[in-house]
Amino acid sequence: MNSPARPLADRIRPTTLDDVVGQAHILGKGGLLRRILDGGLVPNMVFYGPSGTGKTTVASIIASKTNRTLHKLNATTASTSDIKDIIGSLGTLMAPGGVLLYLDEIQYFNKKQQQSLLEFIENGSITLIASTTENPYFYVYNAILSRSTVFEFKPLSIGELRQALDRALGLLSDELGCLVRCDEEVADYLCSASGGDARRLIGAAELLARATPVKQGEAVFSLLDAEAVAQRSAVRYDRNGDAHYDVLSAFQKSIRGSDPDAALHYLARLLSAGDLASASRRLLVMAAEDIGLAFPQAITIVKSCVDAAFQLGLPEAQLPLAQAVILLATAPKSNSTGAIGEAMADVQAGRTGDVPVHLKDSSYQGAGKMGRGLTYKYPHNYPGHYTTQQYLPDELKNRVYYVYGPNKVEQAAKHYWDELKKSCEPQNEV
């Protein structure tokens, strides 16, 4: 049987909200989007989430229930003239009740193109349903966001993907005139390899169905064929996109939270996408920012692991990076180096002051005549290589940036300096 022209994912697309797989948080009983739509209201909306999670499906269902003229544009291919054509139809017999515009991938419209819609969204002649795979707060013009409700579509769970797979296999069985099925192991693999993307899963099922020979009235997918179709687990990752920063954020927070298992998981996601550089850079940052003085040698060890990773290249690079991740996740933590942030804030706000005259450079001829360095006390000439003197400018002389952390290393240093400074205090005469 010849394959129909339309992809299976399109042929199987639900026509009612009840048939939509996933997104129970907004479409389930009590979900905000469901309640809004059941009330008959179609507001301006932005659907945000990864591919294959139902954004286009839900928009199509909404469009089928409205009496407005539906226009669909994809921002990757649409031009300013397409927008002008839609605006030109307003108030004519072509759009007597206004327009419902479904704008897919709105992040590809520049600010001017988005602004051209604003007047008509404002007066209600255009109701906008936009979708994007990127964070709308980064890519959608603020004036449009302020007039829209943002709904986040989440990747589908394995259980939800199984529902989509079962539905796809049922339709394929009807179309091919034989039972199309797969074992649990194969179904689990296909769902896992789809990365939460129902469109990817359904496309793989259709390809397998067309390529699997029919034996005794059945077309049974093999694991070997499933692996060949999927190639590798479909990690949702884009080095320039929102997911990139989400994974990096979770990576650092897992190490900061001392969870080596979660940290290894996010490292695996970065390396599976071939992003050796981002993982390595973030590890070096964490060695200083999150472990810091609680384990001062950590940054040296991590630097060695990173150097080894780049020398080895992937896939072997995963071994020294895993070593660095486990070391940092299980190490004692200190964020004392964050004190530089307060110092930077003072400097950038102009709170600097003149360098104390006894600290100024006195190595050149004539410096003494200017009073520079004359009263400087050389610490190595004193017991314990320490003596009291002012180092900060007068305007900041009582400013404290660094506070000793509660870990053993910093507390040992604090004890040392407390005792030394105490011994340097002038003794009251009896």
Side-chain angles (χ1 to χ4, degrees), residues 117-373:
L117 298 169
L118 191 58
E119 174 189 348
F120 306 98
I121 293 173
E122 181 73 35
N123 64 28
S125 54
I126 291 180
T127 299
L128 176 68
I129 301 178
S131 71
T132 175
T133 55
E134 303 294 345
N135 192 322
Y137 295 99
F138 297 159
Y139 292 95
V140 179
Y141 181 47
N142 284 336
I144 288 182
L145 273 182
S146 69
R147 292 161 175 80
S148 306
T149 303
V150 176
F151 291 99
E152 182 176 2
F153 284 62
K154 298 180 179 180
L156 302 186
S157 68
I158 297 297
E160 291 164 345
L161 288 167
R162 283 300 300 268
Q163 295 178 45
L165 179 59
D166 290 343
R167 189 180 298 170
L169 294 179
L171 181 58
L172 286 167
S173 296
D174 291 340
E175 290 181 349
L176 296 176
C178 67
L179 179 61
V180 179
R181 67 176 184 85
C182 57
D183 295 334
E184 289 294 314
E185 182 183 16
V186 176
D188 288 343
Y189 177 82
L190 287 171
C191 291
S192 178
S194 69
D197 184 334
R199 186 183 300 114
R200 181 190 294 270
L201 171 65
I202 294 169
E206 182 174 25
L207 182 60
L208 286 169
R210 305 294 171 186
T212 300
V214 178
K215 296 180 181 179
Q216 297 180 340
E218 292 185 342
V220 183
F221 302 164
S222 71
L223 181 59
L224 189 62
D225 284 346
E227 290 173 343
V229 168
Q231 294 296 317
R232 57 186 286 184
S233 180
V235 178
R236 186 172 72 89
Y237 189 83
D238 177 358
R239 292 191 196 186
N240 298 313
D242 195 33
H244 167 76
Y245 298 102
D246 287 345
V247 171
L248 282 175
S249 176
F251 182 47
Q252 180 159 1
K253 288 170 182 173
S254 297
I255 288 180
R256 181 184 297 147
S258 304
D259 188 332
D261 300 309
L264 286 170
H265 168 78
Y266 292 113
L267 174 66
R269 289 173 68 162
L270 290 164
L271 298 185
S272 292
D275 199 351
L276 179 61
S278 294
S280 298
R281 181 182 181 278
R282 193 58 66 105
L283 284 169
L284 288 167
V285 169
M286 287 184 278
E289 180 180 356
D290 295 306
I291 285 76
L293 297 175
F295 183 17
Q297 298 88 345
I299 194 165
T300 303
I301 299 171
V302 170
K303 177 63 166 60
S304 297
C305 290
V306 166
D307 288 346
F310 276 100
Q311 187 170 1
L312 290 169
L314 289 169
E316 290 84 357
Q318 62 187 287
L319 298 174
L321 291 190
Q323 179 182 344
V325 163
I326 294 170
L327 174 76
L328 296 185
T330 57
K333 305 298 189 291
S334 171
N335 64 345
S336 299
T337 54
I340 184 63
E342 294 183 45
M344 291 292 292
D346 277 347
V347 171
Q348 291 169 357
R351 294 187 288 270
T352 53
D354 195 25
V355 174
V357 67
H358 60 283
L359 300 183
K360 290 185 176 181
D361 181 19
S362 60
S363 62
Y364 56 92
Q365 188 176 6
K369 293 179 181 180
M370 301 174 67
R372 300 191 172 191

